[in-house]
Amino acid sequence: MALHIQMSEEAEAELKKTAARNKASSTLAGILFLLLGGLILYFTVILIAGPSDPEFMTYTPPVEDAPPTPQPTTQDLSSKPSSPSHDVAPSVIVAVGAAPVQMAMVDVPVSDDADGTGLELGVGMGTGGLGDGLGSGGNGLGDGKGGGSSLEGTFYDLKQTRNGSPMANSPNETARVLNDFIKTWNAGGLSKYYQSPTKLYASNFCLPSCKAEYAPAAYQCKDKVKPSAWVAVYRGKVKAPYTGTMRFVGTGDDVLMVRFNNKTVLEAGWCIPSTYGQPGDVGTRGSVNNAEAKAYHQAIADGKDNNHKGYEFITRPELGKWNRELGGLTAGEEIKVEEGKTYPVEILISEIPGGAFGFVLLTQQKGQTGYDNNKFDLFRTNFSCPSAADLEKLISAEGCSMGAMEMPVFNQDSPIWVATP
């Protein structure tokens, strides 16, 4: 049997009133929440944040995601006007990217009285390229600014131990130490000698005439090292700026040597360390007289020394001292290089008895700067291009004297052998 319960009329009316009140309350609450949310949004966005200007956003894809890009040509890397300031590298624009990049227009005010003066704006994008701070410093024995495109120099005094204790030394002993060192060019071969804590960074090697005390002064150890029987070795890696056959040309007072791609390719100066112990050598006498040094260099150039095959002597009118006392500059072995390929290079400079000191290092490219017409490029790793006035100022700043500056004539737009870490 089913039981039916029927709601009274009074109860049904009360239930409808309650449902109506609940519906009205819900509707009112929703409206209030909407109003409150609108007020919060207004105060946050309009009054607090304020209007914002539209911005352009740029995107440069990572180099590894970009398609292969041809490398700049050698001439683009090395050329520069012949008379810019030595302190500022030219602006170069190098673009690396896989897609167009959108940039906002920039308005640059130009003075009305510019009168023909050009305004150059360079925007460098990507990584690498000649505009990445090669600079123009590093003349003489170099400066203390590490990094960039330069070779790092280390200075040793062969008259004292690494702890500063005196050691017996003579021109003959200095030549013997250098002879032993250049058999391997291993830095450990000089580790027992005093080493200056200061490193110098050179970008070219052109210092035709000064006094030997300049080197200890430049390496910040003139209070500890007398200006004789010292050696500075510069090391690094360089990228060939062209493909072809070339050679190093230069000389040194007393020693200039170049090791390129792990082979000694130039040895020149008043002392020839590799001849130490050989009959008639000049390596055992650091103070060899000019006539003997000149005769021995000529014998090397004539092919009478098997260790210096392919060497040649070059004379130039402007090289007064080098011509009179050594017969000119020495051209070393021919070397084949490939553009963009990296090669290790080491350069040794040494003074033996003291007194006058100097060196110069140039290059010649076969078929270009010319073996036949004796034109030279300056060997350099950045835009440096020293002059006699530059070098005189540099040496005077260290409180050192200098002789008559006989600068060799070289190409002011010489190619750049960019140095890499």
Side-chain angles (χ1 to χ4, degrees), residues 349-393:
I349 299 166
S350 180
E351 172 60 37
I352 298 181
F357 159 62
F359 53 88
V360 60
L361 183 60
L362 309 166
T363 66
Q364 287 183 313
Q365 182 183 0
K366 195 171 186 177
Q368 297 294 323
T369 38
Y371 286 12
D372 298 331
N373 53 17
N374 290 340
K375 292 183 178 179
F376 307 119
D377 286 323
L378 176 71
F379 177 70
R380 60 179 183 169
T381 62
N382 65 12
F383 287 116
S384 58
C385 194
S387 65
D390 293 335
L391 296 175
E392 183 173 6
K393 182 178 180 181

Side-chain angles (χ1 to χ4, degrees), residues 289-305:
N289 66 57
N290 299 334
E292 288 177 325
K294 184 175 181 179
Y296 194 78
H297 273 277
Q298 192 61 57
I300 291 176
D302 291 340
K304 297 179 181 179
D305 188 316

Side-chain angles (χ1 to χ4, degrees), residues 79 108 120 221 235 356 377-378 380 405:
S79 62
V108 181
E120 180 181 0
C221 58
R235 300 177 186 271
D377 286 323
L378 176 71
R380 60 179 183 169
M405 193 65 71

Side-chain angles (χ1 to χ4, degrees), residues 130-384:
L130 204 58
D132 284 340
L134 290 187
S136 59
N139 293 326
L141 286 170
D143 55 39
K145 300 177 182 178
S149 181
S150 59
L151 304 181
E152 183 181 82
T154 304
F155 179 89
Y156 303 90
D157 181 21
L158 306 183
K159 304 181 299 297
Q160 56 182 311
T161 68
R162 61 183 178 181
N163 296 324
S165 300
M167 299 177 66
N169 185 274
S170 66
N172 182 69
E173 175 64 14
T174 301
R176 183 195 66 77
V177 171
L178 295 178
N179 174 272
D180 290 342
F181 171 72
I182 62 175
K183 290 176 181 176
T184 63
W185 287 77
N186 190 322
L190 299 174
S191 60
K192 71 177 182 179
Y193 299 101
Y194 171 81
Q195 176 180 326
S196 170
T198 298
K199 301 284 188 179
L200 293 184
Y201 300 87
S203 57
N204 69 77
F205 298 86
C206 182
L207 189 66
S209 182
C210 66
K211 298 298 182 181
E213 61 263 27
Y214 168 64
Y219 274 94
Q220 306 299 308
C221 58
K222 62 182 179 181
D223 57 331
K224 296 181 180 179
V225 178
K226 294 181 179 179
S228 64
W230 55 256
V231 59
V233 182
Y234 293 81
R235 300 177 186 271
K237 295 179 180 179
V238 294
K239 290 183 180 179
Y242 50 74
T243 295
T245 300
M246 53 82 65
R247 63 185 180 182
F248 288 95
V249 181
T251 197
D253 182 359
D254 290 295
V255 184
L256 173 72
M257 298 187 69
V258 178
R259 188 184 191 224
F260 187 86
N261 201 21
N262 301 317
K263 181 181 180 182
T264 300
V265 295
L266 178 65
E267 184 178 14
W270 269 256
C271 176
I272 309 296
S274 68
T275 66
Y276 174 81
Q278 298 179 17
D281 70 85
V282 295
T284 58
R285 298 186 298 280
S287 56
V288 65
N289 66 57
N290 299 334
E292 288 177 325
K294 184 175 181 179
Y296 194 78
H297 273 277
Q298 192 61 57
I300 291 176
D302 291 340
K304 297 179 181 179
D305 188 316
N306 290 330
N307 294 325
H308 301 87
K309 290 294 185 182
Y311 278 41
E312 185 181 339
F313 250 146
I314 300 176
T315 60
R316 291 286 298 176
E318 74 274 9
L319 301 176
K321 176 180 179 179
W322 310 122
N323 289 335
R324 291 190 308 272
E325 301 181 8
L326 283 180
L329 301 176
T330 301
E333 293 185 30
E334 289 187 344
I335 308 165
K336 292 184 178 180
V337 296
E338 298 178 20
E339 181 179 353
K341 186 175 180 179
T342 300
Y343 300 90
V345 63
E346 293 143 294
I347 298 170
L348 182 150
I349 299 166
S350 180
E351 172 60 37
I352 298 181
F357 159 62
F359 53 88
V360 60
L361 183 60
L362 309 166
T363 66
Q364 287 183 313
Q365 182 183 0
K366 195 171 186 177
Q368 297 294 323
T369 38
Y371 286 12
D372 298 331
N373 53 17
N374 290 340
K375 292 183 178 179
F376 307 119
D377 286 323
L378 176 71
F379 177 70
R380 60 179 183 169
T381 62
N382 65 12
F383 287 116
S384 58

